[in-house]
Amino acid sequence: MKDTNALTWKEWECMNKIKLPYGISDFKSLREQGYLYVDKTPYIEKLESFNSKYLFFIRPRRFGKSLFLSTLQHYYDRNEKDNFAALFGDLHIGRQPTRLQNSYCVLELDFSGLNTGSRQELLASFNLKLKDSVCAFIDKYAEFFEVPFSLKEELNRRNDAGAILNLIIHELQKTGQKMYLIIDEYDHFANDIIAMGDGQFYKDVVRAAGFVRDFYEAVKIGTKSVIDRIFITGVSPIMLDDLTSGFNISTNLTMNVLVNEMLGFTESEVGVIIEQAGIDMNREALMDDLRKSYNGYLFNEEGRSRVYNPDMILYFFNEWQMRGKYPRKLIDENVKTDYGRIRRLITNESSREMLDEIIHNEQITADIVPKFSFDRMYDEQYFVSLLFYMGLLTIDRAEKTRLLLKIPNFVIKVIFWEHIEQELRREYRIQPNLEEMRKSIEQMAFEGTITPFIQYVSEEVLKPLSNRDLQRFSEKHIKVILFAYLTGSRAYRPCSERETENGYIDIFLEKDPRIPDIQYEWIIELKYLKKSDADKLAETKTEGLAQLKRYAESRGLANRSDVKQALVIFIGKGEAVVVE
């Protein structure tokens, strides 16, 4: 298919049947301007059916939370009543509205972007954000207040979060109206503080006499008068336990099976996007690529279907519409930044070892903790739960009394592998010759020889490792290092333990569909011998070659001239034997 640069404007318009809402989180503008909207409004009715009216729900970053909150806001806002048919008429909730449609004054709070430089700066920015939101609320519903201007003046004289909220609650109570309170990014500033490693700062603002707890206590009190419904969302439950005594009225729906697919796109919804976006490609092949790259999220082991991160999917198709083919990069840089802050989670040797285990095995058995305190977040169980909430792990299946968690998809694996590569650079001051490495991988892809790449990794990456690291070294460690460098080349998508009827291939290097003219794929059997076991080389070589032969005779691989085979044996950190 031609590059977008080669397309005429007319061709580009024909190819793009519908506008994709990549990066758009305002429901009204999305609907009015004709963007694609995946209908999630059936969940509005579901949310109303829960016994609790005060709901807490978290998902990883860029998972569609803000757009869903905007959908709630426009559905419940009494000022949007005249726009209901235009915004919701052709959607599920438009055809079957609930009795609470357009019946609230909606107060929206977004606690992202606060200044966390110090306690005083955070307090000032928290109060300013709250005041701005309440002022906008007063302007929006000015008809219900006797003297809106005087009310805003009184608001500006208050410098306590609880007092600010109490003022608008008291004034709204006089009108007989009810409030729907929506809080987005409730934990954003807390996560920033945690990333700074300042536990005392966190405790000062959230616990005991902290102003954050005061605010949520005011929210709780407000539910006795005008706050009829609450929906709170964020990325982690880190503050939920610390706020328990101040705000113990919410129901946590995060892992409720009934809302497993409320955010994110199911496979059938992705199919609709492909159709409406006019993607001209073999559907089965495209879905297979998307499934490997972006799918995999499950938030309850009994969930009906796995979901795709919607930002990743919309990024992919937005790039496709611009280029007429696969994106040059599989990973949206915005998502990469959000997920890529792995290093900040590692505060001790225990969490480092746990992360190494997850990366090497691509799975771990654990319990998911529904809420946890700052003091416990780096304990083993809590650390794994935090990775789950961040979207770096997801549920694979129930495993006896616990859950088997896995890395969701190829994109998240790449983020882990890049973390490993960055840590190697940092700890051992490795400065890779990227041009030499790229040439060696191109030799694999286009000339069918793997030896230059293996020699490069052996000399430039493994040799600088300390003897202490080698004490716990294994094939898995080397495999992750190889993956870290291979994925950066864009030539291959490494697959670990690919299943065949004749066993599991250590490493299968699959062509990256973004570069369709790659000549060779690879079956690699990987072995590692400690220096003290070098005398076992001949035995190891015989065993490895027999395994390679079995794999190469498997269905889909047998008699393929474009699939190369290699046995790679690393000995200690200074030697590599390659049999191609």
Side-chain angles (χ1 to χ4, degrees):
M1 191 176 290
K2 294 182 287 185
D3 286 340
T4 304
N5 290 339
L7 298 175
T8 67
W9 179 254
K10 192 69 176 176
E11 287 174 323
W12 189 86
E13 281 188 313
C14 291
M15 186 174 67
N16 295 292
K17 294 182 179 180
I18 193 167
K19 294 189 289 185
L20 298 175
Y22 173 63
I24 299 175
S25 58
D26 179 67
F27 174 76
K28 189 172 187 177
S29 63
L30 182 152
R31 294 288 288 164
E32 290 181 340
Q33 295 173 32
Y35 284 88
L36 177 143
Y37 178 73
V38 176
D39 190 0
K40 295 293 185 177
T41 62
Y43 288 96
I44 294 177
E45 184 178 9
K46 284 188 178 181
L47 293 180
E48 286 190 19
S49 71
F50 289 110
N51 291 330
S52 175
K53 297 193 293 183
Y54 317 124
L55 305 177
F56 177 83
F57 179 79
I58 58 179
R59 282 293 183 265
R61 293 200 186 282
R62 302 183 186 278
F63 224 88
K65 297 187 294 294
S66 295
L67 176 58
F68 186 73
L69 293 185
S70 179
T71 305
L72 293 180
Q73 181 257 310
H74 286 88
Y75 179 76
Y76 287 109
D77 189 350
R78 58 180 303 112
N79 282 2
E80 294 290 343
K81 192 169 187 176
D82 292 342
N83 298 321
F84 182 79
L87 296 179
F88 293 96
D90 60 338
L91 302 178
H92 173 88
I93 202 69
R95 295 186 290 270
Q96 301 178 46
T98 68
R99 66 179 184 82
L100 296 179
Q101 169 212 331
N102 300 122
S103 60
Y104 291 105
C105 297
V106 180
L107 175 60
E108 306 162 79
L109 302 176
D110 181 345
F111 289 127
S112 62
L114 300 184
N115 186 343
T116 54
S118 68
R119 186 186 188 282
Q120 288 305 314
E121 288 172 315
L122 177 58
L123 173 61
S125 61
F126 187 96
N127 286 344
L128 180 60
K129 181 72 74 99
L130 183 57
K131 284 182 180 180
D132 287 346
S133 297
V134 173
C135 280
F137 181 88
I138 293 170
D139 289 338
K140 190 174 185 180
Y141 304 106
E143 63 185 285
F144 297 119
F145 303 113
E146 292 183 3
V147 188
F149 179 77
S150 298
L151 184 56
K152 288 197 286 184
E153 284 189 328
E154 172 61 25
L155 181 70
N156 287 325
R157 286 192 287 269
R158 302 196 177 193
N159 293 305
D160 174 83
I164 294 169
L165 188 62
N166 283 332
L167 175 65
I168 195 62
I169 288 173
H170 177 72
E171 292 299 320
L172 191 63
Q173 189 174 8
K174 296 178 183 177
T175 70
Q177 300 299 314
K178 293 293 184 180
M179 178 191 293
Y180 197 126
L181 176 62
I182 293 175
I183 302 179
D184 195 8
E185 301 278 9
Y186 96 104
D187 59 333
H188 193 282
F189 61 89
N191 292 328
D192 285 347
I193 295 172
I194 291 167
M196 294 158 50
D198 194 338
Q200 192 57 51
F201 184 4
Y202 172 86
K203 293 172 186 177
D204 287 344
V205 300
V206 175
R207 297 179 180 173
F211 65 85
V212 176
R213 175 171 289 202
D214 290 344
F215 167 77
Y216 281 98
E217 285 181 345
V219 171
K220 180 179 177 180
I221 294 171
T223 61
K224 298 176 182 179
S225 54
V226 302
I227 301 178
D228 190 57
R229 288 185 173 269
I230 302 172
F231 196 93
I232 300 175
T233 189
V235 175
S236 78
I238 185 61
M239 288 204 304
L240 199 59
D241 192 54
D242 291 317
L243 291 171
T244 294
S245 62
F247 189 72
N248 57 1
I249 58 174
S250 65
T251 296
N252 188 349
L253 295 181
T254 302
M255 296 182 68
N256 189 300
V257 67
L258 296 177
V259 292
N260 180 71
E261 300 93 25
M262 186 167 77
L263 298 187
F265 297 147
T266 64
E267 197 155 291
S268 61
E269 289 169 338
V270 172
V272 172
I273 296 173
I274 292 173
E275 183 177 334
Q276 295 196 23
I279 305 300
D280 182 20
M281 182 182 168
N282 179 282
R283 174 72 66 88
E284 185 177 341
L286 178 58
M287 285 304 305
D288 186 53
D289 285 339
L290 293 175
R291 200 176 295 121
K292 292 175 183 176
S293 298
Y294 303 121
N295 196 18
Y297 289 96
L298 193 67
F299 301 99
N300 182 289
E301 65 273 24
E302 297 178 357
R304 183 179 58 184
S305 61
R306 296 184 180 276
V307 292
Y308 294 77
N309 179 309
D311 182 277
M312 293 180 184
I313 286 295
L314 292 174
Y315 160 78
F316 179 92
F317 288 127
N318 185 64
E319 288 290 305
W320 187 296
Q321 285 193 333
M322 295 296 290
R323 290 167 48 79
K325 59 183 180 181
Y326 274 82
R328 289 186 61 82
K329 296 181 179 180
L330 278 177
I331 309 177
D332 179 357
E333 288 298 320
N334 294 318
V335 172
K336 191 173 178 180
T337 299
D338 290 333
Y339 283 121
R341 298 168 181 166
I342 300 173
R343 186 180 169 192
R344 74 182 187 185
L345 300 176
I346 303 172
T347 60
N348 53 47
E349 188 63 24
S350 175
S351 55
R352 176 179 175 171
E353 290 177 358
M354 180 66 62
L355 191 64
D356 283 348
E357 179 187 344
I358 291 168
I359 295 174
H360 295 150
N361 298 327
E362 298 187 358
Q363 62 183 29
I364 190 169
T365 303
D367 290 315
I368 300 298
V369 182
K371 60 182 180 180
F372 47 88
S373 166
F374 173 84
D375 296 326
R376 303 294 302 278
M377 65 178 291
Y378 297 114
D379 291 357
E380 178 178 318
Q381 186 178 15
Y382 298 85
F383 178 70
V384 173
S385 295
L386 188 59
L387 295 178
F388 166 78
Y389 290 120
M390 290 181 65
L392 294 167
L393 290 173
T394 197
I395 296 171
D396 185 13
R397 64 180 185 273
E399 185 80 355
K400 296 181 180 178
T401 61
R402 297 197 291 173
L403 296 173
L404 182 65
L405 306 180
K406 68 175 183 178
I407 301 176
N409 49 52
F410 182 74
V411 163
I412 302 302
K413 288 179 184 178
V414 170
I415 289 170
F416 276 124
W417 296 333
E418 288 184 350
H419 164 74
I420 290 291
E421 196 271 336
Q422 291 164 6
E423 287 299 290
L424 287 171
R425 286 198 196 196
R426 183 184 63 84
E427 188 166 352
Y428 298 102
R429 296 182 173 86
I430 295 173
Q431 297 296 327
N433 184 326
L434 298 179
E435 184 60 25
E436 182 182 343
M437 181 178 67
R438 183 175 292 277
K439 284 182 178 178
S440 71
I441 295 175
E442 288 176 349
Q443 286 179 281
M444 292 173 58
F446 295 97
E447 298 174 24
T449 178
I450 195 175
T451 300
F453 173 67
I454 298 301
Q455 288 177 338
Y456 174 85
V457 172
S458 179
E459 292 292 324
E460 303 297 328
V461 181
L462 296 184
K463 270 191 175 180
L465 298 181
S466 68
N467 290 328
R468 176 176 175 271
D469 283 304
L470 289 179
Q471 291 175 4
R472 58 187 182 89
F473 227 51
S474 68
E475 292 171 20
K476 291 179 180 178
H477 290 82
I478 293 179
K479 184 187 293 185
V480 170
I481 290 172
L482 293 176
F483 283 10
Y485 287 97
L486 284 165
T487 52
S489 72
R490 294 180 58 241
Y492 290 112
R493 292 191 188 180
C495 176
S496 177
E497 303 297 323
R498 172 166 168 168
E499 184 176 4
T500 72
E501 72 271 22
N502 295 323
Y504 293 86
I505 301 173
D506 272 347
I507 300 175
F508 183 76
L509 296 185
E510 181 182 53
K511 299 176 185 179
D512 192 309
R514 293 171 294 171
I515 308 178
D517 56 341
I518 287 174
Q519 298 298 306
Y520 299 105
E521 297 185 327
W522 284 86
I523 301 171
I524 301 172
E525 180 63 24
L526 183 64
K527 303 291 185 183
Y528 174 71
L529 294 174
K530 293 184 177 181
K531 196 71 175 177
S532 58
D533 294 329
D535 59 334
K536 298 178 181 177
L537 177 60
E539 176 187 344
T540 302
K541 188 182 293 187
T542 301
E543 177 189 346
L545 290 174
Q547 289 174 290
L548 270 181
K549 185 176 184 297
R550 290 201 305 272
Y551 302 148
E553 293 171 350
S554 301
R555 285 192 303 271
L557 298 175
N559 302 317
R560 280 182 55 184
S561 60
D562 65 329
V563 177
K564 292 284 186 176
Q565 306 166 40
L567 170 64
V568 179
I569 306 172
F570 286 94
I571 305 171
K573 64 176 182 178
E575 185 180 352
V577 176
V578 181
V579 183
E580 297 190 42

